[in-house]
Amino acid sequence: MKAAILILVAALGGSAAQITAAGARVVPTVSGNPVGGVRPMRIALGTFAELEKRFDGKLGSLGGVNNPTDLLGTTRGIYLDGYGAVFTSEMSLIVTPGINPFRPTITDALKAQVHQEKIARVPKLKEAMKEMAKTAALTLLQVPDNQQIVIAVRLDYLQWEDTIGLPGLVVVKADRRSALAGKFLVEEQ
């Protein structure tokens, strides 16, 4: 008899926990404050498209008309609910010369010149990315102040290039409030 009561109590105790867990309600938050089930405003796709175009123009103009960068695709931006806005791009810091019928080999002097030009371009890239992050923070009003604005640029290199001292990825990020104030974390990988 005692065994039957213990089994019954154990079974009811587990079902009560299941009822509580199933009846629990998750309340969405914005900036840590409950919003009573109302989701934050969505960011229009056109807003992202406009920022992406502006960022492509910014990255493409780093070296001016005579020594342009080489964008390898277009910038893409997304909003990750609860995290923030992320923009990614891929590029070469300069239009890197390649092997062709008129240049069958890459000389050591050309390798050194390409390396120096790319080293000199990295600080300009970082400044442009900071400006881009601030522009995103100003434009994306729907992103809560405590969520992130991230700009990530992957850098491409040809097989023959000397990549010593050159990053493969540059990331500029900050929460929206810090981005508006011009305070960023810059990472190189």
Side-chain angles (χ1 to χ4, degrees), residues 58-73:
K58 186 79 163 168
L59 294 172
S61 67
L62 284 179
V65 177
N66 295 328
N67 193 10
T69 58
D70 191 6
L71 293 179
L72 306 171

Side-chain angles (χ1 to χ4, degrees), residues 25-70:
R25 190 170 154 246
V26 177
V27 178
T29 62
V30 174
S31 300
N33 300 321
V35 292
V38 177
R39 307 234 356 121
M41 291 176 37
R42 290 186 167 265
I43 301 169
L45 291 178
T47 303
F48 274 104
E50 185 59 36
L51 282 170
E52 291 164 350
K53 279 194 264 182
R54 288 178 71 180
F55 294 170
D56 287 341
K58 186 79 163 168
L59 294 172
S61 67
L62 284 179
V65 177
N66 295 328
N67 193 10
T69 58
D70 191 6

Side-chain angles (χ1 to χ4, degrees), residues 115-134:
H115 186 260
Q116 286 305 316
E117 287 179 23
K118 289 191 176 189
I119 290 282
R121 189 68 57 89
V122 172
K124 292 179 181 179
L125 172 65
K126 290 178 184 177
E127 285 307 310
M129 291 172 68
K130 289 176 186 177
E131 290 174 26
M132 291 162 54
K134 190 168 186 174

Side-chain angles (χ1 to χ4, degrees), residues 67-158:
N67 193 10
T69 58
D70 191 6
L71 293 179
L72 306 171
T74 57
T75 300
R76 292 289 177 225
I78 59 169
Y79 175 74
L80 300 171
D81 192 24
Y83 180 77
V86 180
F87 293 86
T88 63
S89 191
E90 184 175 2
M91 66 184 290
S92 178
L93 291 165
I94 65 170
V95 176
T96 309
I99 295 174
N100 60 48
F102 303 104
R103 186 187 305 116
T105 61
I106 304 295
T107 65
D108 289 340
L110 183 56
K111 288 178 186 178
Q113 176 187 348
V114 166
H115 186 260
Q116 286 305 316
E117 287 179 23
K118 289 191 176 189
I119 290 282
R121 189 68 57 89
V122 172
K124 292 179 181 179
L125 172 65
K126 290 178 184 177
E127 285 307 310
M129 291 172 68
K130 289 176 186 177
E131 290 174 26
M132 291 162 54
K134 190 168 186 174
T135 298
L138 287 166
T139 305
L140 300 173
L141 302 176
Q142 301 89 334
V143 174
D145 284 348
N146 66 340
Q147 290 188 12
Q148 298 294 301
I149 302 291
V150 180
I151 311 290
V153 176
R154 182 175 172 268
L155 299 172
D156 191 56
Y157 302 100
L158 297 179

